[in-house]
mmCIF file of all heavy atoms in Angstrom:
data_model
loop_
_atom_site.group_PDB
_atom_site.id
_atom_site.type_symbol
_atom_site.label_atom_id
_atom_site.label_comp_id
_atom_site.label_asym_id
_atom_site.label_seq_id
_atom_site.Cartn_x
_atom_site.Cartn_y
_atom_site.Cartn_z
ATOM 1 N N ALA I 210 82.177 171.851 69.430
ATOM 2 C CA ALA I 210 81.108 172.841 69.527
ATOM 3 C C ALA I 210 79.953 172.502 68.593
ATOM 4 O O ALA I 210 78.785 172.722 68.933
ATOM 5 C CB ALA I 210 81.654 174.230 69.210
ATOM 6 N N ALA I 211 80.244 171.948 67.418
ATOM 7 C CA ALA I 211 79.198 171.628 66.452
ATOM 8 C C ALA I 211 78.296 170.508 66.942
ATOM 9 O O ALA I 211 77.094 170.508 66.679
ATOM 10 C CB ALA I 211 79.822 171.250 65.117
ATOM 11 N N GLY I 212 78.862 169.548 67.680
ATOM 12 C CA GLY I 212 78.065 168.421 68.167
ATOM 13 C C GLY I 212 77.798 168.446 69.650
ATOM 14 O O GLY I 212 77.237 167.493 70.198
ATOM 15 N N ALA I 213 78.203 169.550 70.345
ATOM 16 C CA ALA I 213 78.064 169.663 71.811
ATOM 17 C C ALA I 213 78.788 168.535 72.523
ATOM 18 O O ALA I 213 78.319 168.019 73.533
ATOM 19 C CB ALA I 213 76.595 169.709 72.224
ATOM 20 N N HIS I 214 79.953 168.144 71.992
ATOM 21 C CA HIS I 214 80.740 167.078 72.593
ATOM 22 C C HIS I 214 81.609 167.637 73.725
ATOM 23 O O HIS I 214 82.101 168.767 73.646
ATOM 24 C CB HIS I 214 81.662 166.440 71.555
ATOM 25 C CG HIS I 214 80.955 165.860 70.368
ATOM 26 N ND1 HIS I 214 80.245 164.682 70.428
ATOM 27 C CD2 HIS I 214 80.841 166.299 69.085
ATOM 28 C CE1 HIS I 214 79.737 164.412 69.234
ATOM 29 N NE2 HIS I 214 80.074 165.387 68.403
ATOM 30 N N ASN I 215 81.818 166.823 74.752
ATOM 31 C CA ASN I 215 82.793 167.166 75.778
ATOM 32 C C ASN I 215 84.191 166.935 75.209
ATOM 33 O O ASN I 215 84.409 166.007 74.419
ATOM 34 C CB ASN I 215 82.589 166.311 77.019
ATOM 35 C CG ASN I 215 81.218 166.496 77.625
ATOM 36 O OD1 ASN I 215 80.695 167.612 77.655
ATOM 37 N ND2 ASN I 215 80.603 165.425 78.110
ATOM 38 N N ILE I 216 85.160 167.756 75.623
ATOM 39 C CA ILE I 216 86.496 167.685 75.045
ATOM 40 C C ILE I 216 87.553 167.849 76.131
ATOM 41 O O ILE I 216 87.373 168.628 77.069
ATOM 42 C CB ILE I 216 86.664 168.755 73.939
ATOM 43 C CG1 ILE I 216 88.036 168.624 73.261
ATOM 44 C CG2 ILE I 216 86.432 170.164 74.467
ATOM 45 C CD1 ILE I 216 88.192 169.510 72.022
ATOM 46 N N LEU I 217 88.651 167.101 75.982
ATOM 47 C CA LEU I 217 89.784 167.167 76.903
ATOM 48 C C LEU I 217 91.015 167.587 76.107
ATOM 49 O O LEU I 217 91.390 166.927 75.126
ATOM 50 C CB LEU I 217 90.025 165.812 77.568
ATOM 51 C CG LEU I 217 91.272 165.669 78.445
ATOM 52 C CD1 LEU I 217 91.224 166.651 79.613
ATOM 53 C CD2 LEU I 217 91.409 164.239 78.964
ATOM 54 N N LEU I 218 91.642 168.695 76.521
ATOM 55 C CA LEU I 218 92.844 169.214 75.877
ATOM 56 C C LEU I 218 94.055 168.806 76.698
ATOM 57 O O LEU I 218 94.119 169.083 77.903
ATOM 58 C CB LEU I 218 92.766 170.737 75.759
ATOM 59 C CG LEU I 218 91.525 171.299 75.041
ATOM 60 C CD1 LEU I 218 91.501 172.826 75.134
ATOM 61 C CD2 LEU I 218 91.493 170.846 73.597
ATOM 62 N N ILE I 219 95.033 168.160 76.057
ATOM 63 C CA ILE I 219 96.209 167.629 76.754
ATOM 64 C C ILE I 219 97.456 168.236 76.138
ATOM 65 O O ILE I 219 97.691 168.096 74.927
ATOM 66 C CB ILE I 219 96.280 166.090 76.640
ATOM 67 C CG1 ILE I 219 94.956 165.458 77.058
ATOM 68 C CG2 ILE I 219 97.424 165.535 77.474
ATOM 69 C CD1 ILE I 219 94.801 164.019 76.627
ATOM 70 N N GLY I 220 98.239 168.930 76.948
ATOM 71 C CA GLY I 220 99.444 169.541 76.407
ATOM 72 C C GLY I 220 100.314 170.140 77.487
ATOM 73 O O GLY I 220 99.895 170.287 78.641
ATOM 74 N N PRO I 221 101.553 170.514 77.143
ATOM 75 C CA PRO I 221 102.489 171.076 78.128
ATOM 76 C C PRO I 221 102.078 172.473 78.571
ATOM 77 O O PRO I 221 101.253 173.126 77.911
ATOM 78 C CB PRO I 221 103.816 171.102 77.359
ATOM 79 C CG PRO I 221 103.419 171.194 75.927
ATOM 80 C CD PRO I 221 102.151 170.409 75.802
ATOM 81 N N PRO I 222 102.634 172.958 79.662
ATOM 82 C CA PRO I 222 102.323 174.317 80.120
ATOM 83 C C PRO I 222 102.679 175.344 79.043
ATOM 84 O O PRO I 222 103.708 175.238 78.375
ATOM 85 C CB PRO I 222 103.205 174.494 81.361
ATOM 86 C CG PRO I 222 103.497 173.104 81.824
ATOM 87 C CD PRO I 222 103.544 172.259 80.603
ATOM 88 N N GLY I 223 101.813 176.330 78.872
ATOM 89 C CA GLY I 223 102.074 177.389 77.912
ATOM 90 C C GLY I 223 101.711 177.068 76.481
ATOM 91 O O GLY I 223 101.984 177.869 75.572
ATOM 92 N N SER I 224 101.071 175.935 76.253
ATOM 93 C CA SER I 224 100.714 175.564 74.881
ATOM 94 C C SER I 224 99.426 176.227 74.419
ATOM 95 O O SER I 224 99.078 176.142 73.238
ATOM 96 C CB SER I 224 100.609 174.044 74.755
ATOM 97 O OG SER I 224 99.656 173.531 75.670
ATOM 98 N N GLY I 225 98.704 176.857 75.323
ATOM 99 C CA GLY I 225 97.507 177.608 74.941
ATOM 100 C C GLY I 225 96.196 176.903 75.220
ATOM 101 O O GLY I 225 95.169 177.253 74.627
ATOM 102 N N LYS I 226 96.182 175.939 76.119
ATOM 103 C CA LYS I 226 94.943 175.195 76.409
ATOM 104 C C LYS I 226 93.870 176.126 76.968
ATOM 105 O O LYS I 226 92.713 176.099 76.524
ATOM 106 C CB LYS I 226 95.245 174.058 77.414
ATOM 107 C CG LYS I 226 96.293 173.071 76.942
ATOM 108 C CD LYS I 226 96.466 171.917 77.899
ATOM 109 C CE LYS I 226 97.019 172.324 79.258
ATOM 110 N NZ LYS I 226 98.400 172.855 79.172
#
Side-chain angles (χ1 to χ4, degrees):
H214 301 286
N215 300 321
I216 184 171
L217 173 61
L218 305 174
I219 309 164
S224 58
K226 302 185 295 295

